[in-house]
């Protein structure tokens, strides 16, 4: 079983930055990692993903150029660096892990991820 714990959420003004972290344990069975978010009254949506083996990231269009997903060298921590934040980025951000080594999608869909953290709140005020 993979355990994921997010930290780093908070409140910022529009245009500000935040970095989210997600600790991963164990790491040897994780193939890919992703960040999702859920705004109030909306469905959860994928934001970005990264494959553990290659480190190649993928982003949804709404965050391209503003968000950056990465793993530390030991692959024990997943990050999401968020810049130029907008009020519409507000939501609960959750990290997720995929242990399927055949997974090769470049778009994070909720149904493909089998382990989830509890989430951390990000609030962006205008």
């Amino acid at each position: 079983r993979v355990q994921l714990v997010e930290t780093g959420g908070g409140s910022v003004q529009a245009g500000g930055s935040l970095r989210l972290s997600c600790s991963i344990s164990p790491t040897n069975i994780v193939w890919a990692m992703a960040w999702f978010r859920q705004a109030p009254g909306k469905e959860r949506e994928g934001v970005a993903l990264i494959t553990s083996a290659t480190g190649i990231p993928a982003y949804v269009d709404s965050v391209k150029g503003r968000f950056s997903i990465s793993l530390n060298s030991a692959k024990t921590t997943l990050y999401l660096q968020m810049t130029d934040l907008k009020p519409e980025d507000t939501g609960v951000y959750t990290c997720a892990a995929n242990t399927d080594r055949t997974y090769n999608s470049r778009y994070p869909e909720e149904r493909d991820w089998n382990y989830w953290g509890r989430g951390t709140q990000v609030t962006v005020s205008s």
Side-chain angles (χ1 to χ4, degrees), residues 13-31:
Q13 290 191 328
S17 300
L18 279 175
R19 188 175 80 159
L20 306 182
S21 300
C22 172
S23 64
I24 308 163
S25 179
T27 62
N28 59 317
I29 60 173
V30 173
W31 181 248

Side-chain angles (χ1 to χ4, degrees), residues 98-110:
N98 185 317
T99 57
D100 179 2
R101 292 181 176 271
T102 67
Y103 177 79
N104 62 0
S105 175
R106 303 308 291 163
Y107 183 82
E109 295 189 79
E110 190 171 352

Side-chain angles (χ1 to χ4, degrees), residues 58-78:
Y59 303 93
V60 296
D61 288 345
S62 60
V63 306
K64 281 181 181 177
R66 301 188 299 120
F67 289 13
S68 177
I69 188 172
S70 62
L71 282 164
N72 68 344
S73 57
K75 301 180 182 178
T76 57
T77 306
L78 176 74

Side-chain angles (χ1 to χ4, degrees), residues 35-47:
W35 285 99
F36 287 77
R37 67 185 179 190
Q38 186 168 21
K42 295 188 176 181
E43 293 186 353
R44 185 156 55 187
E45 63 170 350
V47 174

Side-chain angles (χ1 to χ4, degrees), residues 38-42 90-92 121:
Q38 186 168 21
K42 295 188 176 181
T90 294
V92 176
Q121 177 70 43

